[in-house]
RNA sequence: GGGCGAUUAGCUCAGUUGGCUAGAGCGCUUCGUUUACACCGAAGAAGUCACAGGUUCGAGUCCUGUAUCGCCCA
């Protein structure tokens, strides 16, 4: 921070301004002071002489100026109370200049060097040596000049942030220039955008259309998750006019041609619809009714600048303009301007006859159903597409739903970016894990709230081995993988990373580029393999399926599986309808792996070979699951599909599964509520907990896998257990189911289930120490549960205020827990 | 500066109007090649739900504050 003295025009005194960019003083056109500053009164109406330049500049009063010593303002500590005002080179100074009608003097060229050719015309002899210097050299020279002249009062260290170009990384220099703007604050743009919002997502009153009408696109735009509607609304409510011109090499060129020519005579006040006489322009023949031209005239003192905007498809007019000396504007449109036209311009608009391939597309796909994008795009693209589409398409929306997906970050929580090389090429994941695995896991991690961290590993091109790379920290503080990595297994083997490519490393045969991978996708790969194997197994078991006429006559296990399929299908429909893709992925994962593979396939192994109806159920369930899975795992399901088709008809009452050549075009399974089977679900839940208990008993007591055991079931369980004896045999090697005898036989193991004691004859394999410990632990847990429930039930407020069914449920659970505890204690005693 | 989100098992994350003993995958421990699958199966251990208050019969869930992290916009 440099403190520069500016002498007052009259008298010997001076004011001191503080600045971090001394070189901009050449363009100062005022010094500002806060009107509340006690010094303001005596300085009112006075002028200073700008050093070097000799320009006479006023002292103006503006509340923007920070007064020295202001509490709680870090800037105040460095402030002198006087602010040099450089409207052409600082946005805040520009605003001050507007308020006080100050001149804006541009003292720089577009390359940032000091220049007298871009608006600076009072260059003094003292100032001439500075012209042509770079801004950095000029800063040093200005400071030297002030030092030599005794006008440099002080230098202090001051830390502040300066905007840098994301591309060239140099500090950005505010600079006065002519740009094109779109007046998006117009009600036909901003107002239409706000009115497009679904009313339940719009906060407060929507702006009414000026003519009081409604339009076909009103209140149709819906965001998922809904909180992003706020982003959209707030952006439009605080919208400023949009600068659409860019000084880049590529993009859509701005379709404006201009010519400056001398005026002959006075110009009329009204806007010109044709070129003024005297310019000699070949403008006739342009049909103003087609709105293909707009002519604007900029009046100077003795010249006029004519700008003509030409619609597309009028190359002949453009040629004639150029012949007449017109030049096309050198700027291109902001990329988001071009993108805003995407829903229309990709489908032939505005001139479909020029693009026969696009015939019918606009009607078919505009509006479309859903736009899927990331949050920062809401303002950049979503907003502009809505405004443009409504403006040009008679109020019509480009789409109805906007789904905002989470962002994938790298393993260090950094946004993936091209310049950091920390992104993952999906093809690398396809290479290491497969397309379906990539897709399933992407769906799984697409949650509504969190961004997702994806720790990235490398695949060693020398050995194919996966390993964690070494990381380095860039000067900007980012964690990136080191440009060159050592092979974990091949001595001396090296490889280049994606970041290495950016850092200038050249891959070679000896030192190849390493592919990325991530263990996050293992679950997807495993799932695809599991699905493939399960389908292979199931198909092999279907030999002679018979139609099922009566679903209620099927086995408990079959009815349960069909009930699960119907439940899962309904759940999937809901989840996908709400754009909750992670919920959909979890649902399909669980029904395929947990219900179908772990339980159903295992449970039917003993019976399916001899049961043609069960084969029909198995085939139908497989078919339905593949259809449900297909959106998330398209390839593995398509590969299995022909084999399912070849086994004949599927489906049964309540489950419709029409044939199709490809699963991609197969109908979603049509299921009805008749498949939902509470009885089968309850019975299976009981069997499942029985199986779990038996498996644990076997595991705890080291019963060999092949050894069959005998289940001694209490009356309430015996019917189900003996009916499902084959299921129990297949799942936990129960060789025999017997009723519970009156007296407990010696050497049996007991556990409590649903308030009753169940016995297992493990053929003497009981380990009493292990068994006692397990039972004691179980009793402890039960005691805790009982204590908690007793506490709840003895709380009068709970009994009175909680819903009756919950209180009832607590009572039932308490009874059962007490019965379980009694049974467990009995088992402990029997062990002794 | 304004806004949004996060903090739950060793790791990565679910947990939709407040209500069963807080879940999954990976990892970890033990066991297992029974003709779908070892990219598998079975069993198990593991969490004071960031912290402090509040509302409620009841809070991971609602409210207030604090801390830390991240993103978007200016």
């Amino acid at each position: 921070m440099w403190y520069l003295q500016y002498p007052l025009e009259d008298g010997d005194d001076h004011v001191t301004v503080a600045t971090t960019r001394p070189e901009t003083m050449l363009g100062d056109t005022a010094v500002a002071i806060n009107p509340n500053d006690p010094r303001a009164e005596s300085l009112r109406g006075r002028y200073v002489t700008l050093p070097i330049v000799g320009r006479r500049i006023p002292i103006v009063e503006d509340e923007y100026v920070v007064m020295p010593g202001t509490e709680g303002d870090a800037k105040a500590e460095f402030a002198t109370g006087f602010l040099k005002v450089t409207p052409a080179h600082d946005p805040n100074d520009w605003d001050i200049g507007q308020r006080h009608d100050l001149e804006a003097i541009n003292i720089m060229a577009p390359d940032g060097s000091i220049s007298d050719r871009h608006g600076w015309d009072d260059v003094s002899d003292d100032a001439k040596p500075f012209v042509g210097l770079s801004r950095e050299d000029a800063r040093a020279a200005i400071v030297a000049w002030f030092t030599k002249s005794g006008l440099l009062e002080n230098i202090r260290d001051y830390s502040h942030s300066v905007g840098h170009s994301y591309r060239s990384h140099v500090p950005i220099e505010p600079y006065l220039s002519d740009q094109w703007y779109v007046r998006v604050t117009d009600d036909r743009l901003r107002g239409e955008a706000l009115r497009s919002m679904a009313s339940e997502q719009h906060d407060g009153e929507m702006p009414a259309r000026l003519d009081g009408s409604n339009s076909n696109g009103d209140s149709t735009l819906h965001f998922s998750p809904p909180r992003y509607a706020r982003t959209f609304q707030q952006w439009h409510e605080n919208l400023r006019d949009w600068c659409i011109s860019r000084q880049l090499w590529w993009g859509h060129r701005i379709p404006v041609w201009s010519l400056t020519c001398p005026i002959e005579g006075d110009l009329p006040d009204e806007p010109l619809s044709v070129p003024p006489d005297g310019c000699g322009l070949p403008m006739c023949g342009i049909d103003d009714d087609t709105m293909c031209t707009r002519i604007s005239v900029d009046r100077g003192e003795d010249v006029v600048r004519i700008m003509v905007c030409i619609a597309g498809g009028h190359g002949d007019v453009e040629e004639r303009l150029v012949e007449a000396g017109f030049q096309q504007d050198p700027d291109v449109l902001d990329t988001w301007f071009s993108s805003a036209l995407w829903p229309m311009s990709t489908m032939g608009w505005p001139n479909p006859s020029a693009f026969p391939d696009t015939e019918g597309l606009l009607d078919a796909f505009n509006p479309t159903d859903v736009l899927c994008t990331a949050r920062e795009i809401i303002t950049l693209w979503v907003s502009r597409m809505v405004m443009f589409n409504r403006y040009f398409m008679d109020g019509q929306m480009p789409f109805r739903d906007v789904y905002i997906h989470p962002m994938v970050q790298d393993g260090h929580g950094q946004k993936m970016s091209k310049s950091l090389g920390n992104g993952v090429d999906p093809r690398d994941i396809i290479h290491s894990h497969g397309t379906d695995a990539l897709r399933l896991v992407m769906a799984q991690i697409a949650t509504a709230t969190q961004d997702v961290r994806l720790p990235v590993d490398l695949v060693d091109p020398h050995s194919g081995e996966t390993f964690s790379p070494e990381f380095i920290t860039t000067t900007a503080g980012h964690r990136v993988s080191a440009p060159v990595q050592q092979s974990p297994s091949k001595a001396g083997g090296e490889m280049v990373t994606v970041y290495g490519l950016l850092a200038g490393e050249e891959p070679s045969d000896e030192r190849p580029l390493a592919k990325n991978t991530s263990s996050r996708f293992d679950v997807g790969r495993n799932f695809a393999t599991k699905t493939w194997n399960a389908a292979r197994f199931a198909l092999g078991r279907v030999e002679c399926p018979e139609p099922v006429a009566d679903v209620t006559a099927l086995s408990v296990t079959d009815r349960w599986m069909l009930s699960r399929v119907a439940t899962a299908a309904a759940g999937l429909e809901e989840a996908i309808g709400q754009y909750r893709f992670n919920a959909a992925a979890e649902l399909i994962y669980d029904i395929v792996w947990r219900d179908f593979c772990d339980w159903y396939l295992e449970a039917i192994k003993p019976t399916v070979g001899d049961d043609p109806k069960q084969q029909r159920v198995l085939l139908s369930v497989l078919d339905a699951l593949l259809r449900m899975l297909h959106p998330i795992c398209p390839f593995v399901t398509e590969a299995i599909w022909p084999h399912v088709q070849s086994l004949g008809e599927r489906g049964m009452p309540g489950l419709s599964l029409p044939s199709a050549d490809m699963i991609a075009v197969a109908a979603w399974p049509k299921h009805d509520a008749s498949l939902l089977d509470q009885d089968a679900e309850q019975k299976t839940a009981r069997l499942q907990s029985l199986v779990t208990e038996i498996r644990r008993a076997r595991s705890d007591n080291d019963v060999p896998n092949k050894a069959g055991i005998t289940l001694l079931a209490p009356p309430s369980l015996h019917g189900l257990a003996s009916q499902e004896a084959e299921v129990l045999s297949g799942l936990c090697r129960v060789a025999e189911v017997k009723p519970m005898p009156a007296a407990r036989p010696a050497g049996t193991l007991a556990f409590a289930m649903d308030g009753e004691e169940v016995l297992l004859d493990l053929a003497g394999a009981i380990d009493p120490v292990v068994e006692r410990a397990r039972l004691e632990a179980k009793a402890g847990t039960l005691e805790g549960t009982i204590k908690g429930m007793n506490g709840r039930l003895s709380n009068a407020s709970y009994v009175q205020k909680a819903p009756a069914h919950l209180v009832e449920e607590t009572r039932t659970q308490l009874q059962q827990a007490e019965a379980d505890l009694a049974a467990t204690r009995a088992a402990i005693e029997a062990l002794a």
Side-chain angles (χ1 to χ4, degrees):
Chain A
M1 182 80 88
W2 288 270
Y3 291 79
L4 310 179
Q5 295 180 349
Y6 289 1
L8 285 164
E9 180 191 41
D10 46 350
D12 305 329
D13 214 354
H14 65 268
V15 298
T16 303
V17 297
T19 180
T20 58
R21 292 186 297 150
E23 66 280 9
T24 63
M25 60 78 59
L26 298 170
D28 285 1
T29 55
V31 169
I33 184 171
N34 194 303
N36 301 313
D37 192 308
R39 296 168 294 185
E41 193 171 338
S42 66
L43 292 169
R44 189 162 297 143
R46 295 176 69 180
Y47 286 77
V48 298
T49 304
L50 187 63
I52 304 179
V53 186
R55 188 181 301 140
R56 178 175 180 262
I57 60 177
I59 294 175
V60 299
E61 294 174 40
D62 197 291
E63 301 215 339
Y64 174 79
V65 180
V66 175
M67 298 207 292
T70 308
E71 294 274 331
D73 188 336
K75 277 186 183 169
E77 195 201 326
F78 290 88
T80 67
F82 295 99
L83 180 71
K84 61 188 277 304
V85 183
T86 323
H89 297 288
D90 184 284
N92 293 313
D93 290 11
W94 170 261
D95 291 339
I96 295 174
Q98 292 293 295
R99 289 196 284 272
H100 300 278
D101 201 20
L102 301 174
E103 201 181 347
I105 298 176
N106 205 358
I107 54 135
M108 286 187 186
D111 67 358
S113 65
I114 304 299
S115 168
D116 58 359
R117 294 187 184 178
H118 295 83
W120 183 18
D121 54 13
D122 62 348
V123 186
S124 64
D125 287 344
D126 281 346
K128 275 182 184 152
F130 297 96
V131 173
L133 297 181
S134 71
R135 54 183 172 163
E136 295 83 6
D137 290 346
R139 177 173 301 179
I142 295 279
V143 170
W145 189 96
F146 272 85
T147 308
K148 196 183 81 187
S149 312
L151 294 176
L152 181 68
E153 189 173 294
N154 195 8
I155 304 175
R156 293 175 67 188
D157 285 335
Y158 177 69
S159 156
H160 65 134
S161 54
V162 177
H164 283 65
S165 162
Y166 74 95
R167 196 170 280 272
S168 63
H169 307 294
V170 300
I172 288 169
E173 198 69 45
Y175 170 86
L176 206 60
S177 62
D178 288 329
Q179 302 293 335
W180 294 97
Y181 282 79
V182 169
R183 199 168 61 223
V184 283
T185 50
D186 190 289
D187 185 68
R188 289 169 296 177
L189 294 168
R190 168 168 60 186
E192 290 296 295
L194 286 166
R195 285 187 287 274
S196 74
M197 296 181 69
S199 39
E200 75 273 14
Q201 290 196 338
H202 183 280
D203 185 28
E205 193 92 356
M206 279 197 200
R209 190 170 281 105
L210 296 178
D211 62 8
S213 67
N214 295 313
S215 171
N216 59 6
D218 284 357
S219 303
T220 54
L221 183 65
H222 187 273
F223 285 87
S224 298
R227 67 174 181 281
Y228 291 113
R230 271 174 71 92
T231 307
F232 184 86
Q233 184 179 343
Q234 286 174 357
W235 159 259
H236 288 98
E237 287 173 347
N238 299 306
L239 201 57
R240 297 171 72 162
D241 287 337
W242 175 20
C243 176
I244 54 161
S245 45
R246 294 290 183 274
Q247 294 72 54
L248 299 173
W249 282 17
W250 67 290
H252 286 142
R253 283 188 74 178
I254 289 178
V256 171
W257 283 257
S258 66
L259 177 70
T260 302
C261 58
I263 295 180
E264 289 178 11
D266 291 338
L267 287 169
D269 286 336
E270 66 267 17
L272 298 177
S273 57
V274 292
D277 294 338
C279 278
L281 296 179
M283 295 295 288
C284 49
I286 294 177
D287 178 3
D288 199 39
D289 291 341
T290 63
M291 303 296 284
C292 72
T293 65
R294 292 196 176 67
I295 299 172
S296 162
V297 175
D298 213 10
R299 293 175 178 79
E301 281 178 14
D302 49 7
V303 292
V304 59
R305 186 169 177 228
I306 304 168
M307 286 172 275
V308 185
C309 181
I310 307 287
H314 294 275
D316 54 327
V317 179
E318 292 172 14
E319 274 174 32
R320 280 152 60 201
L321 284 169
V322 171
E323 281 165 16
F326 277 74
Q327 288 191 321
Q328 186 172 5
D329 197 286
D331 287 356
V332 300
L333 292 167
D334 177 13
T335 186
W336 295 112
F337 185 102
S338 305
S339 304
L341 298 169
W342 178 86
M344 302 172 288
S345 63
T346 52
M347 296 187 277
W349 180 93
N351 196 3
S353 60
F355 305 98
D357 291 353
T358 64
E359 192 186 346
L361 287 184
L362 196 60
D363 286 340
F365 296 112
N366 188 309
T368 188
D369 291 328
V370 55
L371 176 82
C372 173
T373 190
R375 353 175 231 286
E376 74 266 25
I377 304 300
I378 295 170
T379 54
L380 294 170
W381 192 31
V382 178
S383 154
R384 275 87 181 244
M385 282 194 282
V386 168
M387 290 193 290
F388 279 24
N389 210 87
R390 297 204 78 183
Y391 185 86
F392 290 115
M393 304 288 288
D394 191 26
Q396 182 168 291
M397 294 292 291
F399 35 73
R400 296 188 183 89
D401 283 2
V402 178
Y403 169 64
I404 304 295
H405 57 69
M407 308 276 285
V408 180
Q409 302 169 338
D410 69 10
H412 303 100
Q414 303 167 132
K415 187 172 168 178
M416 287 185 170
S417 75
K418 282 181 231 162
S419 58
L420 286 182
N422 61 348
V424 176
D425 188 329
R427 290 169 299 184
D428 281 7
I429 303 299
I430 290 169
H431 184 259
S432 63
H433 287 82
T435 315
D436 286 346
L438 170 68
R439 195 152 166 154
L440 175 81
V441 172
M442 292 312 291
Q444 257 182 350
I445 65 182
T447 65
T449 50
Q450 297 233 86
D451 284 339
V452 131
R453 281 193 192 197
L454 191 68
V456 176
D457 291 330
L458 290 180
V459 179
D460 178 5
H462 303 287
S463 67
E465 193 181 345
T466 294
F467 69 102
S468 291
E470 291 194 15
F471 291 96
I472 58 170
T473 304
T474 66
T475 49
H478 294 109
R479 295 287 287 168
V480 295
S481 57
V484 175
Q485 305 271 339
Q486 305 297 320
S487 166
S489 54
K490 183 187 170 192
E494 289 187 332
M495 69 204 79
V496 175
T497 63
V498 176
Y499 181 73
L501 284 183
L502 297 166
E505 296 290 342
E506 288 279 345
S508 62
D509 288 347
E510 295 73 42
R511 206 166 70 169
L513 180 67
K515 282 189 162 69
N516 283 316
T517 186
S518 171
S519 59
R520 287 295 301 268
F521 296 96
D522 291 354
V523 58
R525 179 200 54 197
N526 296 353
F527 180 76
T529 308
K530 183 80 177 176
T531 303
W532 174 258
N533 282 317
R536 221 160 40 97
F537 170 74
L539 293 167
R541 294 301 166 110
V542 178
E543 288 161 352
C544 48
E546 261 180 27
V548 173
D550 181 8
V551 172
T552 61
L554 294 170
S555 75
V556 168
T557 303
D558 288 326
R559 288 190 284 128
W560 168 82
M561 190 66 231
L562 290 167
S563 184
R564 297 296 304 147
V565 166
T567 306
L572 270 176
E573 289 154 21
E574 189 183 353
I576 293 173
Q578 296 173 344
Y579 300 106
R580 293 170 58 229
F581 297 114
N582 67 314
E586 292 302 332
L587 259 166
I588 193 70
Y589 183 95
D590 284 343
I591 182 118
V592 170
W593 202 312
R594 301 274 86 92
D595 293 338
F596 184 64
C597 294
D598 286 352
W599 188 263
Y600 185 70
L601 288 184
E602 296 300 332
I604 65 170
K605 272 181 183 172
T607 52
V608 69
D610 301 325
D611 186 344
K613 287 193 165 40
Q614 188 159 58
Q615 291 178 17
R616 174 70 174 240
V617 175
L618 173 60
L619 180 61
S620 301
V621 168
L622 176 63
D623 174 301
L625 291 179
L626 290 174
R627 291 177 202 241
M628 286 151 67
L629 179 57
H630 181 259
I632 292 180
C633 292
F635 291 93
V636 70
T637 49
E638 196 70 81
I640 298 165
W641 185 248
H643 305 287
V644 174
Q645 288 275 298
S646 70
L647 287 172
E649 287 197 356
R650 288 86 60 207
M652 57 196 64
L655 182 63
S656 163
L657 301 165
S659 291
D661 289 340
M662 290 181 70
I663 195 170
V665 295
W668 185 255
K670 197 174 164 201
H671 54 95
D672 67 41
S674 67
L675 289 183
L676 300 176
D677 192 329
Q678 280 238 315
D679 175 65
E681 298 247 13
Q682 273 171 8
K683 281 180 173 155
T684 302
R686 251 190 126 195
L687 284 172
Q688 286 177 330
S689 50
L690 179 63
V691 166
T692 301
E693 286 291 347
I694 295 172
R695 282 169 169 171
R696 177 159 46 195
R698 296 185 67 117
S699 174
D700 284 354
N701 293 288
D702 291 329
V703 179
N705 264 335
K706 287 178 180 166
I709 59 171
T710 304
L711 170 69
L712 305 172
S716 73
L717 187 61
H718 184 256
L720 178 64
S722 46
Q723 187 192 330
E724 302 299 324
E726 282 173 308
V727 172
L728 294 176
S729 158
L731 288 165
C732 53
R733 302 274 145 200
V734 171
E736 200 177 353
V737 178
K738 286 185 185 168
M740 177 86 84
R744 177 204 299 269
T748 53
L749 177 148
F751 56 87
M753 210 181 101
D754 300 338
E756 286 182 302
E757 191 173 46
V758 182
L759 296 181
L760 286 182
D761 185 347
L762 302 179
I766 297 179
D767 180 336
V769 179
V770 173
E771 221 19 56
R772 169 177 287 275
R774 190 179 68 79
L775 289 167
E776 299 275 10
K778 176 80 178 172
T781 309
L782 284 168
E783 276 163 7
T785 308
I786 289 166
K787 194 179 165 192
M789 290 191 200
N790 271 326
R792 220 183 301 168
L793 287 169
S794 62
N795 181 341
S797 322
Y798 174 70
V799 178
Q800 281 164 18
K801 295 188 183 176
H805 74 273
L806 281 175
V807 178
E808 193 47 45
E809 197 175 282
T810 308
R811 290 210 171 97
T812 314
Q813 284 168 349
L814 176 62
Q815 276 174 14
Q816 197 160 86
E818 280 171 340
D820 279 351
L821 181 61
T824 305
R825 288 220 170 101
I828 294 172
E829 285 203 11
L831 262 183

